[in-house]
Amino acid sequence: MNVLNMKRGKACRKPFDMGMPAKATDLVRLAIKAGDPYCAAAVHNIATGRDKRRLEALMFDKRRNTLLLARWEHTPASVLEAIANSSAGNGDSGVVIRLDKNPNATAKALSQLYVGQADVRQLNSDFTVLIAQHLHSPVSVLASIVQLSEDEQSLKAVSRNPAASAEVLSVMLERMANSKIIGVLYKNLAENPSTSTELLDFIYAKGDEYVRAAVIGHARCSQAVIDESVSDKDVKIMRKLAVNARVSSETLVNLAASHDVAVRCGVASNVASPEVLVMRLLLDDSCLVRRAIAARLDLTAASINALANDKDSWVRQWLARNPRIPRKVLERLSVDFEVDVRRAVARNTCCPVGLLKALAKDQSAWVRSAVAYQHKSPKVVMEALATDNNIDVLSGVANNPHTPQMILQDLAASPELDIRRGVILNKYATRKTLLPLLEDPYYLHRLMLVGSVRLKGKDKWSLRDDPDFQVRFMVFRWMASRLCESAVR
Amino acid sequence: MKILIAVKQVAALDEDFEIRADEKDVDEDFLLYDLNEWDDFSLEEAMKIKESSDSEVEVVVVSIGPDRVDESLRKCLAKGADRAIRVWDDSIEGSDAIAIGKILAAVAKKEAPDLVFAGVQSSDHSYASTGISTAAYLNWPHAAVVADFKYQPGASQAVVRRELEGGMLQEVEINCPAVLTIQLGINKPRYASLRGIKQAAAKPIEELSLADVGLSTGDVGAGNSMSRVRRMYIPEKGRAEMIEGSLAEQAAKIIQIINEFKGA
């Protein structure tokens, strides 16, 4: 082997010589100097003129990089627009399909793609379908598809898209009135939140039982349609009526007598159900119905007592999580033989501290971990749980706002990822506690620290040459946002 | 003692990709490269031996590939490997797993390790034969799909548990030196520390030519392999039907389909 064949440090990213940039232009030039397409993407929206062109050259000089950025879910909108606008975006179907699928693609980018890709669209209707279903597609583009497209899949995609306006949906229904896909369009429109009340009334009159059920479940369904459907005996429609708070008490009483469990469950969870009806459903044979009642926030003392003795553990579990439950009932449930019921007591936002202290000594680590995560658990409980050896319990301790910093500092050095992540997620962890985690081997932890309000700017900036491209991207994006804010001030 | 670990930089596919003009592989622009998942476990197993040993254990990683492979080798160095070797010559392009085994065996002869580890298979080509062919060229014993490993550095034998069908394990005593192909889940691979990554960036990677390992262009490449890729393609899509209608209707249709399959 030749000595010359010993290759050293090619993959090494040399730390930048510059300190923290004071101006946006400094940061942009630093990103250019770094030669990293992800850093370039992070600062693209604050760059101007020649610097912007240099960033774009850096990002788009290789097709591979353009493809990566067009697909990446974190690519900033301005970069996606630049790709859409560039020759690479306009001439390359591989790039176009990624832009069309990218949830971050802006209305402007999608509009550019739709207008600029007329030739490609004629060859491949998949592109139009992707634009037709994109949540950021502008109404004007969707209107154009509705008026001009002959492709059934594209029209169906618009009918499902909540970004389509009521007018666009109305025009489509009118145009396709005699088409063979009208039945599918009715169904899609019945579930599209943008569909107007008038259109829903029309669809209800024309559609089958599935369409009628979907219309009744729609937030914009008219009271007239709801009143009309009350006499409908189709179970799908009854299920939708049972959960609808606009239905009268009389109707709910009738629905509560249904043989269908899902209908009775709907009534049991409906806030409009009268107390007497809830009391009656407490005796329902189906535990699913009783579980729905146990989750209600308007339970009476009599209902609570009945549910606390229910033989179904899920009923007791739902009750144990209910914040309206009195202390005495919680105490009873805290010694339930089912672990999940005791855990539910520990997770109850209104669980008294005394009960939490008792549950902290529970034999099940699953219960103790719920106590550890409970924000009402006091410092003394956290100190006791910090000696536990279960990962779930220690992760909870790491997350808890009442855990002393000394304990958090110990947990920050844990070999377990989940425990260290708990410290990072703890809003009360101090800078001193968090600083060692900047060296955490797991990239996601370093990435999360870029968003920490406890760390200083210089701490975060130390990650600017991180080995992971996502961390570098986040650092540059954070700095870009910070410089923009200070420029506005 | 010395452990040689054969690692591979594998390619992962995007959901939308294009096949190369010669139809023999995917267009490189659509590939994302990373260290083969199985090789992470091989390296960790070697690191466990190194860290628990009283005597000196050298862990050497070797890969066959072009410049870009250095990134994966550095990942191994960052996790604690002592040395990294990369063998490349343009004539190696198109070599099958058996020819790659020949090159790895040549490296093993030069390095004289006590053990050679390889992953059970690579996630991109899945031949599952590189490690075994290496053993064949070395004329060493081998054990495939190793799910547990007990070995005292310097010992003449090791005990391995091999994963078989139906959840069975087969305990095997094997003479050393030997080649083992390591299965996923044998251990919990570590993340490289930031310090390790920075130090790895400064460590040298030994670049070897075919001549350095005693081979020539006549030993490698598609023309000297026992199998060659004729074509890579996406098969025609099977019968599929989008279920349309409201959510309730879609659910009803799915229940109907399940019942039909069940014969209900």
Side-chain angles (χ1 to χ4, degrees):
Chain A
M1 183 184 59
N2 192 311
V3 179
L4 290 173
N5 286 347
M6 300 285 281
K7 194 151 76 179
R8 202 177 279 273
K10 186 181 175 185
C12 175
R13 212 162 257 291
K14 287 183 183 169
F16 311 130
D17 296 333
M18 270 177 80
M20 279 172 66
K23 294 183 297 184
T25 48
D26 294 342
L27 181 68
V28 170
R29 283 173 193 163
L30 205 50
I32 294 167
K33 190 177 168 189
D36 176 357
Y38 291 97
C39 293
V43 301
H44 180 261
N45 67 333
I46 61 165
T48 54
R50 188 162 164 259
D51 281 346
K52 193 163 204 145
R53 288 193 294 279
R54 288 172 71 190
L55 287 175
E56 289 175 4
L58 178 59
M59 289 187 284
F60 312 143
D61 66 336
K62 289 181 187 153
R63 183 180 184 228
R64 182 183 177 77
N65 288 341
T66 312
L67 286 165
L68 285 171
L69 287 168
R71 176 187 174 277
W72 195 39
E73 65 269 32
H74 302 295
T75 301
S78 72
V79 176
L80 295 175
E81 281 176 17
I83 297 174
N85 207 22
S86 73
S87 56
N90 286 330
D92 187 331
S93 61
V95 173
V96 171
I97 202 162
R98 280 163 174 68
L99 287 175
D100 283 347
K101 285 185 175 180
N102 194 315
N104 265 354
T106 60
K108 191 177 169 190
L110 292 164
S111 189
Q112 281 170 337
L113 289 171
Y114 182 73
V115 174
Q117 293 295 297
D119 297 340
V120 179
R121 271 189 287 116
Q122 279 171 6
L123 292 173
N124 190 347
S125 61
D126 287 352
F127 292 123
T128 310
V129 175
L130 290 170
I131 290 175
Q133 71 187 22
H134 201 292
L135 294 176
H136 293 165
S137 282
V139 171
S140 59
V141 166
L142 296 176
S144 173
I145 293 171
V146 159
Q147 285 161 352
L148 304 173
S149 179
E150 297 295 333
D151 178 55
E152 289 181 359
Q153 295 307 322
S154 300
L155 292 166
K156 286 179 191 172
V158 174
S159 71
R160 286 189 297 265
N161 193 338
S165 66
E167 291 71 29
V168 166
L169 297 176
S170 187
V171 167
M172 175 165 62
L173 205 58
E174 202 170 310
R175 184 184 164 213
M176 305 306 293
N178 298 316
S179 82
K180 62 180 180 186
I181 62 166
I182 190 67
V184 174
L185 296 181
Y186 283 157
K187 284 163 189 176
N188 291 344
L189 292 176
E191 289 186 330
N192 189 322
S194 296
T195 306
S196 66
T197 301
E198 295 70 31
L199 211 52
L200 288 170
D201 284 354
F202 176 78
I203 293 168
Y204 182 84
K206 295 275 185 183
D208 61 14
E209 70 273 20
Y210 288 105
V211 171
R212 297 204 303 278
V215 169
I216 292 160
H218 199 289
R220 291 186 184 177
C221 178
S222 67
Q223 189 63 44
V225 164
I226 290 174
D227 293 342
E228 187 186 332
S229 66
V230 163
S231 57
D232 203 318
K233 294 300 172 201
D234 188 278
V235 75
K236 294 179 280 299
I237 290 165
M238 288 167 73
R239 286 175 185 174
K240 291 289 183 183
L241 286 170
V243 294
N244 198 316
R246 289 191 280 163
V247 169
S248 68
S249 297
E250 189 187 351
T251 303
L252 287 170
V253 169
N254 290 334
L255 291 168
S258 168
H259 293 300
D260 185 75
V261 172
V263 173
R264 302 202 303 280
C265 276
V267 177
S269 64
N270 194 322
V271 290
S273 290
E275 187 185 322
V276 61
L277 189 55
V278 173
M279 288 300 286
R280 197 204 302 169
L281 288 170
L282 268 178
L283 304 172
D284 199 286
D285 287 343
S286 168
C287 57
L288 297 175
V289 176
R290 302 196 304 276
R291 287 174 195 173
I293 293 174
R296 291 182 69 97
L297 296 176
D298 58 355
L299 293 174
T300 61
S303 306
I304 291 168
N305 278 327
L307 292 165
N309 293 317
D310 200 288
K311 61 180 186 290
D312 180 66
S313 68
W314 278 89
V315 171
R316 302 196 303 279
Q317 199 177 315
W318 275 106
L319 193 68
R321 282 291 298 275
N322 195 318
R324 302 292 171 88
I325 301 306
R327 180 184 177 128
K328 286 212 162 187
V329 177
L330 276 180
E331 278 175 3
R332 200 190 324 162
L333 294 169
S334 73
V335 292
D336 197 286
F337 68 94
E338 282 286 346
V339 167
D340 284 321
V341 176
R342 303 201 301 275
R343 178 177 164 85
V345 173
R347 293 184 69 191
N348 191 312
T349 50
C350 295
C351 186
V353 169
L355 268 189
L356 289 171
K357 284 182 179 173
L359 289 165
K361 295 172 184 160
D362 196 284
Q363 59 181 357
S364 164
W366 194 227
V367 177
R368 298 198 303 278
S369 80
V371 177
Y373 275 101
Q374 166 68 265
H375 282 203
K376 284 185 74 181
S377 293
K379 180 181 165 187
V380 62
V381 169
M382 289 301 110
E383 285 170 340
L385 290 174
T387 61
D388 210 292
N389 54 14
N390 180 276
I391 293 174
D392 292 327
V393 175
L394 292 174
S395 298
V397 174
N399 265 286
N400 199 293
H402 296 126
T403 303
Q405 291 302 315
M406 290 290 280
I407 292 174
L408 287 181
Q409 282 159 21
D410 285 345
L411 295 174
S414 166
E416 292 295 336
L417 284 179
D418 292 340
I419 296 173
R420 300 202 304 275
R421 192 176 313 119
V423 177
I424 293 169
L425 289 168
N426 193 322
K427 288 178 184 167
Y428 294 86
T430 62
R431 176 175 178 252
K432 188 182 172 188
T433 301
L434 293 174
L435 274 177
L437 290 164
L438 286 168
E439 295 276 320
D440 197 287
Y442 189 39
Y443 82 94
L444 186 62
H445 289 176
R446 304 194 300 274
L447 193 146
M448 288 163 76
L449 286 169
V450 179
S452 167
V453 292
R454 296 284 178 161
L455 290 175
K456 291 184 176 177
K458 66 177 182 182
D459 304 330
K460 299 177 187 182
W461 187 239
S462 70
L463 295 171
R464 67 193 179 277
D465 58 345
D466 194 277
D468 188 89
F469 72 90
Q470 294 168 95
V471 178
R472 297 196 300 274
F473 171 81
M474 286 298 285
V475 172
F476 273 79
R477 200 170 73 162
W478 157 77
M479 182 56 88
S481 153
R482 177 181 149 129
L483 291 173
C484 280
E485 280 170 19
S486 59
V488 170
R489 279 193 228 113
Chain B
M1 77 165 284
K2 186 190 285 188
I3 305 173
L4 184 69
I5 304 160
V7 301
K8 182 182 178 187
Q9 188 180 54
V10 291
L13 277 180
D14 248 347
E15 76 176 282
D16 302 299
F17 57 87
E18 293 170 8
I19 303 281
R20 236 164 47 188
D22 67 3
E23 295 189 338
K24 290 192 174 173
D25 208 341
V26 174
D27 185 329
E28 201 164 350
D29 282 343
F30 293 86
L31 298 176
L32 304 169
Y33 295 107
D34 202 356
L35 182 66
N36 183 35
E37 190 182 2
W38 276 264
D39 302 342
D40 252 337
F41 290 86
S42 298
L43 176 63
E44 184 63 33
E45 203 59 23
M47 291 307 299
K48 277 170 62 184
I49 295 170
K50 179 182 169 76
E51 288 166 355
S52 63
S53 173
D54 294 331
S55 57
E56 192 177 331
V57 176
E58 186 180 28
V59 174
V60 182
V61 287
V62 57
S63 191
I64 317 296
D67 280 359
R68 62 172 160 75
V69 173
D70 282 357
E71 193 183 331
S72 293
L73 288 170
R74 288 199 191 283
K75 195 172 175 182
C76 299
L77 290 170
K79 290 185 179 195
D82 297 295
R83 285 167 49 218
I85 299 169
R86 182 168 66 81
V87 185
W88 189 242
D89 184 286
D90 288 346
S91 63
I92 295 174
E93 187 73 51
S95 297
D96 68 357
I98 311 294
I100 295 294
K102 190 190 293 178
I103 304 169
L104 290 171
V107 175
K109 281 175 188 162
K110 183 176 157 69
E111 288 288 324
D114 301 90
L115 287 166
V116 174
F117 289 171
V120 165
Q121 64 181 66
S122 62
S123 58
D124 52 358
H125 289 154
S126 308
Y127 282 110
S129 56
T130 304
I132 307 307
S133 64
T134 305
Y137 279 112
L138 287 168
N139 199 24
W140 284 6
H142 75 263
V145 202
V146 173
D148 189 38
F149 179 61
K150 285 186 176 57
Y151 176 70
Q152 279 297 114
S156 60
Q157 290 180 332
V159 176
V160 301
R161 290 202 179 101
R162 298 180 55 239
E163 202 173 280
L164 303 181
E165 287 295 314
M168 283 230 298
L169 289 177
Q170 182 190 51
E171 195 167 287
V172 177
E173 197 175 86
I174 190 166
N175 294 342
C176 296
V179 179
L180 310 180
T181 64
I182 306 292
Q183 175 64 311
L184 300 177
I186 189 173
N187 52 46
K188 189 175 170 187
R190 68 194 65 191
Y191 288 92
S193 68
L194 275 186
R195 181 183 296 177
I197 292 169
K198 283 171 185 167
Q199 286 173 346
K203 280 187 183 176
I205 289 174
E206 299 165 37
E207 290 182 7
L208 301 185
S209 65
L210 285 172
D212 290 330
V213 293
L215 296 175
S216 70
T217 54
D219 295 311
V220 297
N224 298 299
S225 290
M226 295 180 185
S227 63
R228 287 156 293 281
V229 176
R230 288 176 62 180
R231 183 163 76 106
M232 193 178 276
Y233 65 101
I234 301 163
E236 290 212 1
K237 286 177 184 166
R239 192 165 64 97
E241 182 192 342
M242 289 299 290
I243 298 174
E244 291 182 320
S246 67
L247 293 177
E249 190 171 7
Q250 290 176 34
K253 281 184 182 170
I254 290 169
I255 290 167
Q256 185 191 338
I257 292 166
I258 292 170
N259 283 336
E260 279 172 14
F261 270 99
K262 283 168 65 182

